[in-house]
Amino acid sequence: MPDTTRRSTPGRATPALLALAGLLAAAPAFAQADAPAADGQTSFNNSCRTCHALNEGDHRLGPSLAGVVGREAGSVEGYGFSSALARADFTWDEARLDAFIENPDAVVPGHNMKPFPGITNADERALIVQFLASGG
Ligand code: HEC
């Protein structure tokens, strides 16, 4: 008597199941793409590090941000600031930094920190500011 159950080929399901498992495994990564980065260092690396270093005197496209919290704006030695920043008359504190990285034009009109789109996510700004305030 022929065994009819042999006609079903359970092995065929495996690639489809593997593909589904792959999609499920990838889903959390997609979900995180728009969420704020988990820590300030990562956010700094993503948004600032192209142009800013954290070692004293290490100026790149932008000035070193070593000790920026508590520093007079546009004052660090050895960096050629725009006249807008050089003339700015305030000390960087956490509120000022937060406002600057949200929308630099609103804090220092005529600045030269470009191209920089601004960070709309308040949680992410807070992480970066805390990271800078804690010495980077
Ligand atoms: C595309 C390059 C670029 C990126 C990205 C960038 N900056 Fe800047 N940044 C600059 C430049 C250039 C200046 C100097 C602007 C001027 O002289 O007007 C500057 C100036 C600054 C200053 C003023 C420093 C001082 O001594 O007064 C701060 C604070 C600052 N940036 C913070 C940040 C932070 C925080 C980030 C990330 C969220 C960031 N920047 C991202 C290029 C950049």
Side-chain angles (χ1 to χ4, degrees), residues 5-133:
T5 59
R6 289 266 164 92
R7 280 200 193 160
S8 78
T9 50
R12 290 245 176 101
T14 308
L17 283 176
L18 283 177
L20 182 62
L23 278 176
L24 290 174
F30 288 128
Q32 274 166 19
D34 284 336
D39 68 281
Q41 170 131 40
T42 306
S43 293
F44 178 86
N45 288 346
N46 289 342
S47 301
C48 321
R49 208 185 159 82
T50 334
C51 303
H52 290 286
L54 288 168
N55 306 321
E56 205 158 324
D58 186 357
H59 306 310
R60 307 276 169 100
L61 187 56
S64 160
L65 293 181
V68 66
V69 173
R71 194 163 94 186
E72 179 75 15
S75 71
V76 73
E77 292 273 305
Y79 182 82
F81 285 96
S82 65
S83 50
L85 248 177
R87 270 194 254 113
D89 188 19
F90 63 83
T91 297
W92 288 113
D93 59 19
E94 299 185 16
R96 209 70 90 144
L97 268 175
D98 181 85
F100 187 65
I101 64 178
E102 180 180 15
N103 178 7
D105 294 331
V107 178
V108 186
H111 71 87
N112 201 23
M113 183 157 113
K114 290 169 186 159
F116 177 75
I119 297 175
T120 50
N121 185 311
D123 293 340
E124 185 165 9
R125 290 199 307 274
L127 286 171
I128 294 175
V129 169
Q130 279 161 26
F131 172 70
L132 289 172

